[in-house]
Amino acid sequence: MTVTFTAATAPAAGFVVTCGCDEATVRAEHIDDYDAAQAAADQTNAAPDQRRPLPGCSIPTVCPDYPLRAEPIDPDGIAPLINVSNVNAVALLDALGLPSQSEAPDCQDLEPFPPKAPDNGMTIPITVVDAYGDLPAEEFLGRVLTALGLAPEDLGTPDIQFGRMYVGGRPAGFLQQRLRDLHELASWCATHERRVVWH
């Protein structure tokens, strides 16, 4: 499971038929109506022969095996998107002073993440995150700048493997790099008057 930080959605400026690759989406013909875009995707997907890769497709040996779909065109271009694992989301949200759990009274707390694999045959706990929310871009940017100023250098965490169970760690400096990515996102959102969302 993961947590994604990005810009709040805006009304679509049109639609495209795409495989999902960024450059293919940018190059695709703009269609005004969602139903027309989806009908065009459905027609291509129903063809008996395998389709060719779309212009700009970044994985042309893979995408033709999957169906095309209609996607909305963001009026401001492609918004930054930062996706992190649950374990890393907890560290980021904590640095930003944001909750990583629902504030509902019946929500359970996170299980602690062990510093090393247990040697007693117990299962490695999996971090459960129920984090979602949104903030004005300026407020989110303030939290990011505060976190960048206060957060100690991230030394990283080791990978943990116990039998067939594997939990990836994070490299040194990961927190600072992700905070810089969030700074870019917040600045983009402020420029385009969009809120920052995470889910």
Side-chain angles (χ1 to χ4, degrees), residues 35-84:
D35 291 333
Q38 189 58 56
D42 290 343
Q43 181 179 5
T44 301
N45 294 336
D49 298 327
Q50 184 179 42
R51 67 174 178 81
R52 296 178 53 80
L54 297 178
C57 176
S58 60
I59 43 177
T61 58
V62 175
C63 283
D65 293 332
Y66 294 89
L68 297 176
R69 60 185 180 272
E71 284 191 2
I73 300 169
D74 191 306
D76 299 318
I78 297 174
L81 184 141
I82 296 93
N83 188 264
V84 295

Side-chain angles (χ1 to χ4, degrees), residues 33-187:
D33 179 65
Y34 172 79
D35 291 333
Q38 189 58 56
D42 290 343
Q43 181 179 5
T44 301
N45 294 336
D49 298 327
Q50 184 179 42
R51 67 174 178 81
R52 296 178 53 80
L54 297 178
C57 176
S58 60
I59 43 177
T61 58
V62 175
C63 283
D65 293 332
Y66 294 89
L68 297 176
R69 60 185 180 272
E71 284 191 2
I73 300 169
D74 191 306
D76 299 318
I78 297 174
L81 184 141
I82 296 93
N83 188 264
V84 295
S85 70
N86 279 353
V87 172
N88 294 328
V90 171
L92 268 178
L93 291 166
D94 184 53
L96 296 169
L98 296 167
S100 59
Q101 288 291 296
S102 168
E103 309 230 337
D106 61 344
C107 183
Q108 297 179 354
D109 288 337
L110 288 173
E111 296 182 44
F113 187 73
K116 64 186 186 86
D119 56 6
N120 59 3
M122 295 177 59
T123 304
I124 297 173
I126 301 299
T127 303
V128 178
V129 178
D130 184 22
Y132 55 90
D134 67 297
L135 285 175
E138 294 78 9
E139 182 179 340
F140 192 85
L141 184 57
R143 287 175 178 266
V144 170
L145 291 171
T146 301
L148 280 167
L150 296 177
E153 186 64 27
D154 181 13
L155 300 177
T157 58
D159 297 340
I160 296 176
Q161 184 167 0
F162 181 67
R164 293 186 293 168
M165 180 67 160
Y166 177 83
V167 178
R170 66 174 182 264
F174 179 88
L175 180 61
Q176 282 73 25
Q177 180 56 53
R178 285 297 181 231
L179 288 170
R180 288 189 290 273
D181 294 342
L182 291 177
H183 182 278
E184 179 185 333
L185 167 64
S187 298

